[in-house]
Amino acid sequence: MRGLYLAEAAMLTQQAKLNLLSNNLANLRSAGYKRDELAQVSFGEQLLYCQGLTGMAKGPGVAARPIGSMPHSVAVGEIRTGFAPGAIEETGRDLDFALDRGYFTVQSGDELLYTRNGRFFLNNAGYLVAADGQPVLGERGMIRLGNADFTVDRDGLIYRDGRPVDRLRITFFSPDAQLEKIGDSYFRLLNRQAIIENEPPRVYWRCLENSNVELVEEMVAMLQVRRSFEAAQKMLSTYDQLLNRAANELGSLS
């Protein structure tokens, strides 16, 4: 029966990997998207013993000789997000922005969210918002551009009719920042002390950052998942056949 559980755990783990790879491929062209990868771990290491060898002492209380260990099964350890930057591509659209470092800051209710997706819009009141309507913040709060022409410099300072209006609020984090992906290219910061103050931003206007998903790497990983899944499936089928023979044939030999 142990073989059935091993095969089942392997198939479930490969299915979880396939789901992540599929999501990465689906966001291949999503601006600012950061790919996910799954860390696989052994679950429940068990010590193996050798019993019944010729020359070994026998009888109650005599310990068998340990010969090593094996994992009881495999499991999903954690899902890791790769924060490597994507390529910056010029779009020519006035409401597109990209960053080499840091994150755009978005107000969502009472909390702040962070994103690398700089494809913004104007709402009916003329405020700069993300694709889902959440306001994009500047250093003074919500940024109102109206219908006037504007320009943006490399420091993120927005000019309207030649006058400075506000500066995009770009947030920087230390390497120990705990960022939780919550969907729609948003991240939530779990440890506020990881914010770095007074970092100079570098903003690319009329540009977007592409996702950091590499098509070839994802396709190769998907082929590996398929082969591992098929191997586990074959092992499951073999154990099922063995159990079927044990249940139906061994009894008839007596």
Side-chain angles (χ1 to χ4, degrees):
M1 294 296 292
R2 180 181 298 167
L4 292 176
Y5 293 122
L6 284 170
E8 178 198 26
M11 292 172 68
L12 290 175
T13 303
Q14 297 306 316
Q15 181 64 50
K17 284 186 177 181
L18 181 62
N19 292 338
L20 279 185
L21 293 172
S22 299
N23 187 61
N24 288 340
L25 289 173
N27 288 279
L28 181 64
R29 300 299 299 171
S30 297
Y33 176 80
K34 302 303 175 186
R35 69 181 298 271
D36 291 323
E37 59 183 15
L38 184 144
Q40 178 178 308
V41 296
S42 300
F43 182 78
E45 287 277 342
Q46 294 184 335
L47 185 63
L48 301 182
Y49 293 89
C50 184
Q51 294 178 318
L53 290 179
T54 302
M56 286 186 63
K58 298 183 180 180
V62 178
R65 180 169 62 91
I67 59 173
S69 63
M70 67 170 287
H72 176 65
S73 63
V74 294
V76 176
E78 62 176 329
I79 297 176
R80 300 169 181 168
T81 301
F83 292 98
I88 294 178
E89 179 180 355
E90 185 175 355
T91 65
R93 182 175 176 269
D94 287 345
L95 296 176
D96 285 348
F97 303 86
L99 301 171
D100 62 346
R101 296 183 303 114
Y103 293 79
F104 299 105
T105 308
V106 176
Q107 184 76 48
S108 177
D110 295 331
E111 68 173 340
L112 299 179
L113 300 179
Y114 306 95
T115 182
R116 294 279 295 186
N117 184 0
R119 189 168 184 82
F120 300 142
F121 302 86
L122 292 179
N123 63 12
N124 294 333
Y127 287 97
L128 191 66
V129 296
D132 59 355
Q134 306 281 11
V136 179
L137 296 183
E139 293 181 349
R140 301 176 183 175
M142 296 173 58
I143 303 173
R144 191 175 189 279
L145 297 176
N147 296 321
D149 293 334
F150 67 93
T151 58
V152 183
D153 63 17
R154 284 295 176 90
D155 294 328
L157 191 59
I158 302 174
Y159 297 86
R160 187 175 60 191
D161 296 329
R163 299 179 180 179
V165 176
D166 202 348
R167 189 191 304 273
L168 287 167
R169 182 172 174 179
I170 311 301
T171 305
F172 297 88
F173 305 117
S174 61
D176 62 343
Q178 300 174 15
L179 292 171
E180 177 188 18
K181 182 181 284 190
I182 59 174
D184 296 327
S185 296
Y186 285 131
F187 293 91
R188 178 186 290 120
L189 181 64
L190 302 181
N191 53 337
R192 301 295 303 176
Q193 67 273 16
I195 294 179
I196 300 176
E197 303 290 345
N198 302 321
E199 282 286 324
R202 187 173 180 84
V203 179
Y204 296 87
W205 184 40
R206 295 175 175 170
C207 297
L208 280 178
E209 178 192 6
N210 294 326
S211 73
N212 64 352
V213 177
E214 293 292 340
L215 178 60
V216 174
E217 292 182 6
E218 301 299 316
M219 295 302 296
V220 170
M222 187 169 287
L223 289 175
Q224 293 173 342
V225 166
R226 177 184 174 183
R227 291 170 181 167
S228 298
F229 188 91
E230 289 176 346
Q233 188 179 38
K234 185 175 181 179
M235 183 173 70
L236 184 67
S237 177
T238 300
Y239 272 104
D240 182 61
Q241 293 173 14
L242 290 174
L243 289 174
N244 181 62
R245 293 185 61 183
N248 294 286
E249 297 181 15
L250 289 181
S252 63
L253 297 178
S254 59

